[in-house]
Amino acid sequence: MSHARATRLTRRGILAAGGVLGLGAVLAACGDDKGKNERSAGGKGAGKAGPWSFKDDRGQTSKTDKVPTDIVAFIGVAAALHDYGVGVKGVFGPTKTKDGKADVQAGDLDIGKVAVLGDEWGQFNIEKYAALAPDLLVTTMFDGAGTLWYVPEESTKKVLAVGAPSVGISVYDRRLTEPLQRMLELAKSLGADTASAKTAQAKKRFEDAAARLRAATKANPGIKVLAGSASQDVFYVSGSNLSIDLEYFKALGVNFVEPPASALKASGGWFENLSWENVDKYRADIIMMDNRGSAIQPADITEATWKKLPAVKAGQVIPRNPEPILSYDKCAPLLEDLAKAIETAKKVG
């Protein structure tokens, strides 16, 4: 994706590749108390006196007379807000898998209790959105131009014309900790108790996991990690300079395979396209594979060249969510899993 403005083709390619991006709080609502603890439309805390305002990562300040309760959000954002106890009325983006189960990006959100405006790229039911009478639209942004993720560019004006203010949280060219903090601030503005013991515990777990990952990389400095994603005809290798999770992991000492800038140019710096015949171009000890529904999962890859990779043969393949759910509760395990993989990895690449 270019630093100026992403084209629709590039954004769609990034979605398919998963090499984009990757990456708080503990669940504020669980079990039978989920509906009681979650602040949502008509629920406890709904209609909190205002006025409300929030300055997003476009530099735009959204304002309403009262704290928004009829929220529509990108599925990953909805999952993060849910972890803080803030409910949403509708979602868009990869919500259900083909078999009807919750997509990995839904986190712990009960997808049966929200209106789904569209599961796939380019789908956003404006009529259904308007019928929800939303008072806030929230999503992430994967470029520096303020493009709202998963809101179709050709329909953005119509979506915004419904009247709800919009908030964009940037997940572009920064470390994971920054959007995590921004999501925490947004949740707090929407009524979440971000000073709770559970939130503090989740943040401490994240910080402890970061320290563990840093220690693991120092103890095993020669371990090389490749971030990949699989499609029918192409294997994508991510660079680490734009993805929030990879940038943060690199700052903690993780030694990533880095495709040259010339190979990343076609995708605006995000990833390199490899044919399956050339999937062995880079040597790696650990492979992190895109676990979203848009990518082919390692167990389903039949290419002989894949099966011959040293990391695959050694069983050193772990999942990666290029679009981390921005709560500390969901991001701590990402650090823990990578730390464990590096701690136990054999040098095979």
Side-chain angles (χ1 to χ4, degrees):
M1 216 177 266
S2 71
H3 287 260
R5 177 171 294 275
T7 65
R8 186 180 310 166
L9 177 61
T10 300
R11 291 177 77 219
R12 191 181 183 99
I14 285 171
L15 169 69
V20 198
L21 306 175
L23 326 156
V26 74
L27 289 177
C30 58
D32 294 336
D33 293 328
K34 189 174 294 185
K36 298 178 182 178
N37 293 332
E38 188 170 271
R39 191 196 132 298
S40 59
K44 186 177 180 180
K48 180 180 176 182
W52 172 87
S53 67
F54 186 84
K55 186 175 182 179
D56 74 358
D57 292 335
R58 297 170 296 181
Q60 297 183 13
T61 299
S62 293
K63 299 180 180 180
T64 57
D65 293 335
K66 63 181 182 68
V67 175
T69 56
D70 297 324
I71 303 168
V72 172
F74 173 70
I75 184 64
V77 171
L81 291 176
H82 171 81
D83 281 0
Y84 287 113
V86 177
V88 304
K89 203 169 185 179
V91 298
F92 54 95
T95 303
K96 299 178 182 179
T97 59
K98 293 180 180 180
D99 58 5
K101 296 180 180 179
D103 188 271
V104 64
Q105 294 190 69
D108 295 324
L109 187 69
D110 186 343
I111 61 173
K113 294 183 177 180
V114 293
V116 180
L117 306 183
D119 268 307
E120 299 179 6
W121 182 259
Q123 292 182 351
F124 192 108
N125 191 317
I126 300 176
E127 290 75 18
K128 194 172 183 179
Y129 173 65
L132 294 175
D135 52 14
L136 182 64
L137 174 71
V138 191
T139 188
T140 49
M141 300 181 299
F142 282 82
D143 61 26
T147 306
L148 299 176
W149 187 237
Y150 256 88
V151 177
E153 291 183 73
E154 65 275 15
S155 305
T156 298
K157 289 184 179 180
K158 291 182 179 180
V159 171
L160 297 181
V162 171
S166 62
V167 165
I169 300 296
S170 179
V171 288
Y172 172 72
D173 195 15
R174 60 201 62 204
R175 295 176 184 175
L176 177 60
T177 46
E178 187 174 343
L180 266 175
Q181 179 61 32
R182 293 294 284 144
M183 191 63 70
L184 184 74
E185 293 168 358
L186 176 61
K188 181 179 181 179
S189 78
L190 294 171
D193 180 11
T194 57
S196 69
K198 287 185 177 181
T199 297
Q201 183 180 15
K203 189 171 183 179
K204 184 179 186 304
R205 179 185 174 188
F206 177 87
E207 292 168 347
D208 288 346
R212 178 182 174 185
L213 180 55
R214 187 186 294 277
T217 61
K218 287 183 178 180
N220 301 278
I223 297 299
K224 200 81 171 179
V225 181
L226 182 149
S229 183
S231 69
Q232 186 69 36
D233 301 313
V234 180
F235 183 80
Y236 303 89
V237 179
S238 292
S240 65
N241 290 329
L242 298 179
S243 300
I244 56 172
D245 62 331
L246 302 186
E247 282 201 15
Y248 186 51
F249 298 159
K250 182 171 63 175
L252 294 174
V254 176
N255 185 12
F256 282 108
V257 166
E258 297 284 5
S262 58
L264 299 171
K265 187 176 181 180
S267 67
W270 291 97
F271 51 83
E272 177 181 3
N273 298 358
L274 295 179
S275 66
W276 283 104
E277 290 78 10
N278 295 319
V279 75
D280 59 353
K281 178 178 179 179
Y282 299 107
R283 307 297 286 181
D285 305 297
I286 296 172
I287 301 177
M288 303 175 68
M289 289 294 289
D290 183 356
N291 68 349
R292 297 173 302 171
S294 57
I296 298 175
Q297 297 307 300
D300 298 321
I301 299 175
T302 59
E303 301 290 341
T305 48
W306 163 261
K307 295 181 179 180
K308 291 179 181 178
L309 293 178
V312 175
K313 293 171 68 175
Q316 295 178 174
V317 178
I318 64 173
R320 172 199 174 212
N321 186 347
E323 296 182 64
I325 294 171
L326 296 172
S327 72
Y328 289 103
D329 180 69
K330 293 299 182 293
C331 286
L334 307 181
L335 294 164
E336 292 167 347
D337 291 347
L338 181 53
K340 181 179 179 180
I342 293 175
E343 289 165 352
T344 59
K346 297 178 181 178
K347 183 67 179 173
V348 296

